[in-house]
Amino acid sequence: MSEPTMTADVIVIGAGIAGASVAANLSESCTVILAEMESQPGYHTTGRSAAVFAPSYGPAGVRALTRASRAFFDTPPEGFCDAPLLTPREILMIARDDQGAALDALIETASRDTAVERLDASGLQDHQPLLRSGYASAGMLDRGGQDIDVAALHQGYLRLFKKRGGTLLRNAEVLSLQPDSTGWTADTKAGTLKAPVVVNAAGAWADRIGELAGAETIGLKPKRRTAMMVPEPAGFTRRDAPITIDIEEQFYLKPDAGRLLLSPADETPSDPCDAQPDEMDVAICADRIMTAFELDIRRIENKWAGLRSFVADKEPVIGFSTQAEGFFWMAGQGGYGIQTAPAAGRLASALVQGKPVPDDLIDHGFDQTLVASGRKGLAA
Ligand SMILES: Cc1cc2nc3c(=O)[nH]c(=O)nc-3n(C[C@H](O)[C@H](O)[C@H](O)COP(=O)(O)OP(=O)(O)OC[C@H]3O[C@@H](n4cnc5c(N)ncnc54)[C@H](O)[C@@H]3O)c2cc1C
């Protein structure tokens, strides 16, 4: 027997952090079906991040969305989570002598809207005692950095969504999208769905979903990034040390609950898929980390990879399609999708309902044209 057709005001495709945040916001005033192809929401990129809130990271639109997200992280709604979503974690960008120009450029851009500090070699050592002496000569410290409890944020949104009457369908891969005079019909592995508006929050698959809808391409490029956990060295006492990142993003190291999270900060182009770590990237990571830090990596406890999906200008794409009526993009979150989720979810919810950009986003310097579909420079 075939499944009955379900109807709603909005279908959201993808229950990662992007889909969960917009669905929770929309469900305050609309009926919403959230369709997820996996049995576990968060199985793809959302469950594989480094969990950092970095105000100085990313292009201007991302930085504004990050600033506008801070209030939600600090004061989520009653009952959203049991523990704080953020824990302080300084961010230290380090530069060797030959990377001085990259450091100057980053300080120049970041200091336009974030309080950052330049450090010399001894300042670096004070903040990051694992740094190999003589490796880096200067750096930039962002004291506004935080660790994010990603699972609590994601589960909080899914709980809020359900509490507001939203329907989450798992194992509901969207297979086709058909427009008609009343909106969209989506055939999924869990039955047929109908709604006037479809929100495409399908992560690395977003351009594929756009194709199903006959929308414009946004030129989305999924890029694989590898991460791994190693034991902290014997006698290590600085679990509060900053996440330490090469200024040209060639590696990073972050203390993480008694272990060290390492990444070669790779950006290998990939098709949308269940990304897996490549042994070569793991070896490159160990080599770069042991060059920059006093660390002997003998045992890797855990390793994984995830897809960070970017359009050409690295800003997200949040807005209605220029070609397919009632089809809304919520894509291209790149390496910033967790830290921007609270503001991006509210923005998308407002725009889907034909409302203006929320005032507080504008107060934080957010410019909607930076994230609109059809903007100049979207596809390379
Ligand atoms: C190693 C690494 C480190 C990172 N570190 C950080 C960080 O420190 N801070 C930060 O803010 N960000 C970080 N990111 C980026 C962040 O994780 C992403 O920007 C964010 O998770 C993207 O969320 P999403 O919901 O768009 O994608 P996803 O979590 O991938 O969700 C998309 C969902 O769509 C579903 N889907 C796809 N196709 C269909 C279909 N046809 N039908 C139904 N469902 C479908 C998928 O199953 C998936 O669940 C990192 C990423 C990686 C890989």
Side-chain angles (χ1 to χ4, degrees):
M1 208 173 67
S2 66
E3 305 271 352
T5 299
M6 294 178 68
T7 59
D9 296 327
V10 184
I11 299 164
V12 177
I13 303 176
I17 195 67
S21 61
V22 68
N25 278 285
L26 278 168
S27 61
E28 194 173 12
S29 40
C30 307
T31 55
V32 183
I33 300 170
L34 178 55
E36 168 55 52
M37 74 175 168
E38 304 290 353
S39 59
Q40 188 196 336
Y43 175 76
H44 289 288
T45 311
T46 295
R48 307 179 189 202
S49 86
V52 176
F53 178 93
S56 54
Y57 190 41
V62 166
R63 297 201 307 276
L65 288 172
T66 303
R67 288 194 297 279
S69 292
R70 181 67 199 251
F72 182 96
F73 278 117
D74 285 338
T75 321
E78 187 72 32
F80 188 86
C81 49
D82 299 330
L85 292 169
L86 297 182
T87 316
R89 168 79 58 201
E90 290 177 342
I91 296 156
L92 181 60
M93 308 294 301
I94 57 169
R96 298 181 307 263
D97 268 344
D98 60 304
Q99 293 174 308
L103 177 64
D104 291 344
L106 182 69
I107 290 177
E108 213 277 304
T109 314
S111 57
R112 282 181 209 153
D113 47 39
T114 310
V116 294
E117 223 174 286
R118 181 186 280 271
L119 298 181
D120 61 13
S122 76
L124 294 182
Q125 214 68 44
D126 291 345
H127 285 272
Q128 178 50 275
L130 286 177
L131 203 54
R132 200 174 277 286
S133 165
Y135 175 80
S137 51
M140 181 188 94
L141 186 70
D142 177 351
R143 292 184 192 271
Q146 305 279 328
D147 281 339
I148 305 173
D149 187 336
V150 179
L153 180 70
H154 189 223
Q155 290 306 315
Y157 276 126
L158 292 175
R159 248 194 327 269
L160 184 60
F161 174 63
K162 282 187 208 159
K163 197 168 126 195
R164 288 174 169 172
T167 306
L168 168 65
L169 298 178
R170 299 162 192 262
N171 302 307
E173 180 177 355
V174 172
L175 303 169
S176 73
L177 284 168
Q178 294 299 328
D180 65 24
S181 57
T182 60
W184 293 94
T185 301
D187 278 320
T188 81
K189 286 191 175 168
T192 302
L193 315 177
K194 276 177 167 292
V197 176
V198 167
V199 174
N200 175 9
W205 288 265
D207 248 346
R208 299 257 173 104
I209 295 291
E211 228 172 278
L212 293 182
E216 67 280 13
T217 175
I218 55 168
L220 190 70
K221 304 243 185 319
K223 295 182 177 175
R224 189 180 66 231
R225 174 155 289 191
T226 310
M228 58 202 227
M229 287 285 194
V230 301
E232 64 186 17
F236 183 70
T237 54
R238 289 290 308 278
R239 290 187 177 170
D240 64 335
I243 179 170
T244 305
I245 310 172
D246 170 64
I247 194 79
E248 292 171 307
E249 232 186 311
Q250 294 293 300
F251 58 81
Y252 59 78
L253 172 152
K254 181 179 96 152
D256 188 307
R259 297 182 294 173
L260 300 177
L261 188 159
L262 314 176
S263 173
D266 43 334
E267 296 199 329
T268 311
S270 167
D271 283 335
C273 66
D274 183 356
Q276 298 300 323
D278 183 286
E279 283 310 319
M280 183 57 85
D281 292 325
V282 171
I284 289 171
C285 181
D287 181 58
R288 290 180 183 169
I289 292 289
M290 289 194 291
T291 301
F293 300 92
E294 297 280 357
L295 210 61
D296 187 13
I297 299 173
R298 288 166 184 246
R299 185 160 59 88
I300 295 168
E301 291 186 350
N302 182 18
K303 57 189 175 200
W304 69 93
L307 299 178
R308 300 154 82 242
S309 298
F310 296 92
V311 299
D313 60 15
K314 297 202 160 184
E315 298 279 13
V317 183
I318 304 176
F320 275 108
S321 161
T322 54
Q323 259 176 41
E325 203 182 327
F327 183 80
F328 190 94
W329 291 100
M330 178 74 174
Q333 286 80 359
Y336 335 99
I338 314 291
Q339 65 184 46
T340 54
R346 276 193 301 123
L347 170 70
S349 169
L351 298 180
V352 163
Q353 297 175 77
K355 296 179 185 167
V357 174
D359 284 343
D360 65 301
L361 270 67
I362 294 181
D363 293 345
H364 280 290
F366 176 71
D367 172 359
Q368 193 200 342
T369 61
L370 290 176
V371 303
S373 183
R375 66 186 184 254
K376 270 200 192 126
L378 186 64

